[in-house]
Every structure is written in structure tokens, then in C-alpha cells.
Amino acid sequence: IDMAHAMKPDALPPWIEIRVVEEDVFEPGRDYFDIGAREKLFDTPCSIARIYRATASRRKMVVSAEASRDLDGKPLTYRWVVLRGDDKSVTVNPLNESGSIAQLSIPYAPRRPIREGDQIESNRTDIGVFVHNGHYHSPPAFVTCFTLDNEDRVYDSAGRIQQVTYHGESDPGHYVDPVIDLPKSWTDEYHYDEAGRSIGWSRMRGEAKEEFTPEGALVTERDERGRP
């Protein structure tokens, strides 16, 4: 309140505004399994929210804060901060001299304490963006990535997905809002050739087993050389 009363017309907090310039796009039925393309939750001038559905171990996004402004035209400085998540794994690389555009690289992160030793846990990674006009910081803008708590994932040392077990349809599992993710119960095991290229995956539902190609097609028959 004191700070608000101390503000003068020629020294007001600046306005922060962000937008996505480009980002990794993943394909339903191959990179994740849902009713359609539903990784993008929403974009607003002050908040960008994504649901981390894809099996990729890391996702990249280029975000611009160039539309931020000061009402009196004062020059701005830019600051990007990991507010929640592993700040040693999340990377923010400025792409221009001012730092108004940055590439964000966000790893897959299951539920974890919001701080070391804290009993409160979260599935979110939050990156805050601030601008400063020499007098005040702006209110923050946020880039948020949310992983699904009804999944158990295993990656190898090279970051390749090895297994995903989905919970909640016919077995118990952690609750996830069904508006965000539909419950499903199966396990996918991924396979690679000697060069590390994907050759598809196996899906197990109880005793039933299905095979899929790397493109997500169901294998119904193979030739004498084992090709779908």
C-alpha cells in the first residue's frame, strides 16, 4: 500500500506481455495418447500454459516479451526466473542482446516437493518473466508446464522413453482432473534398433498385447522378415 501511494505519474510500473514465437509440436497417436491435440491449455498476454503429454524427455519453446512497454517510454530490462521446478535442468537461453526473447528448454518432471524438504508437492514447472524500467518491476508473466500425475515414466540415460504406465481407468491411480486428461490403464514399452532409432512400441492391457510402428500404426501382420 505504501509503495502504491508513493508512485508518481512519471514513474509507474511497466507492463509485461509475452507470446510464443515457436515451440515443439507433438502428434496425438504417436507422441502422446488423447482425444486430440490437447497440449496447449491457453495463451494470454501474461500466462502461457501447456500440458506435458508427449513422451519426449524435453520440450523447447521460444517466447518473446518484446511487446512489454513502459507508459513513459523508459528503456526496459528483462529477467527470466525458474520459480518452480528444477532450475538446474530448466534452461533459459536469451536469443537477443536485450534478453527480450528467450528459448526455454523444459524437461519432463514428475511430481516433486515445491522446495527441498517441503511436504507440499507439485507437477508444475513455472518460469516467471519480469521487466524493469529503472524504478519498478512489472507484475510477473508466467510460462507454465504441467505433467500428468496419473503416469509413471521411465527414460534411459540418453533421454529416450523406455516405458509409460497409465493409470485411472480400470486401476487406481493419482487423481487428475478429467477435463485435463482422460483416465486410461495400460503400459507402453518402447523399442529401438542398434543405432538408437525408434522401431515402435508394445502396449499391454492385462494379458492382451498390441504392437505399434514408430508412426503409431497398429501392427496386424508381419512378413517373413518381421516387417509390419
Side-chain angles (χ1 to χ4, degrees), residues 165-210:
T165 300
Y166 302 92
H167 300 284
E169 181 183 35
S170 59
D171 70 322
H174 291 138
Y175 175 81
V176 173
D177 189 332
V179 172
I180 292 177
D181 190 56
L182 297 175
K184 43 191 174 283
S185 296
W186 70 70
T187 296
D188 288 339
E189 293 183 352
Y190 291 80
H191 313 296
Y192 303 88
D193 64 16
E194 292 181 356
R197 295 179 296 240
S198 172
I199 56 175
W201 68 87
S202 304
R203 175 164 296 167
M204 280 74 69
R205 289 187 178 94
E207 299 298 321
K209 182 177 181 180
E210 297 173 314

Side-chain angles (χ1 to χ4, degrees), residues 22-79:
E22 62 183 66
E23 64 182 307
D24 290 338
V25 178
F26 299 97
E27 184 178 329
R30 184 193 67 189
D31 301 312
Y32 65 92
F33 308 101
D34 202 81
I35 57 175
R38 293 208 305 159
E39 286 204 310
K40 182 177 179 179
L41 188 59
F42 60 76
D43 283 27
T44 75
C46 293
S47 184
I48 296 165
R50 297 292 182 265
I51 308 297
Y52 202 132
R53 303 182 189 277
T55 55
S57 62
R58 184 173 288 271
R59 59 195 307 129
K60 294 182 179 179
M61 177 186 298
V62 175
V63 178
S64 172
E66 290 181 301
S68 306
R69 57 196 181 273
D70 180 82
L71 294 176
D72 294 310
K74 295 183 179 68
L76 299 176
T77 56
Y78 300 82
R79 187 181 180 198

Side-chain angles (χ1 to χ4, degrees), residues 84-120:
R84 177 173 294 173
D86 185 356
D87 58 3
K88 297 180 179 62
S89 297
V90 178
T91 60
V92 179
N93 295 317
L95 298 182
N96 58 359
E97 187 174 352
S98 68
S100 61
I101 305 175
Q103 183 187 68
L104 314 179
S105 181
I106 303 172
Y108 175 81
R111 185 171 64 171
R112 55 182 291 163
I114 60 173
R115 288 178 297 271
E116 186 176 352
D118 204 302
Q119 293 185 345
I120 299 175

Side-chain angles (χ1 to χ4, degrees), residues 3-4 7-8 10-16 69-72 76 131-133 135-139:
M3 187 177 74
M7 289 178 184
K8 305 297 182 183
D10 61 346
L12 296 173
W15 167 256
I16 178 78
R69 57 196 181 273
D70 180 82
L71 294 176
D72 294 310
L76 299 176
V131 293
H132 194 272
N133 64 2
H135 293 276
Y136 295 107
H137 280 101
S138 67

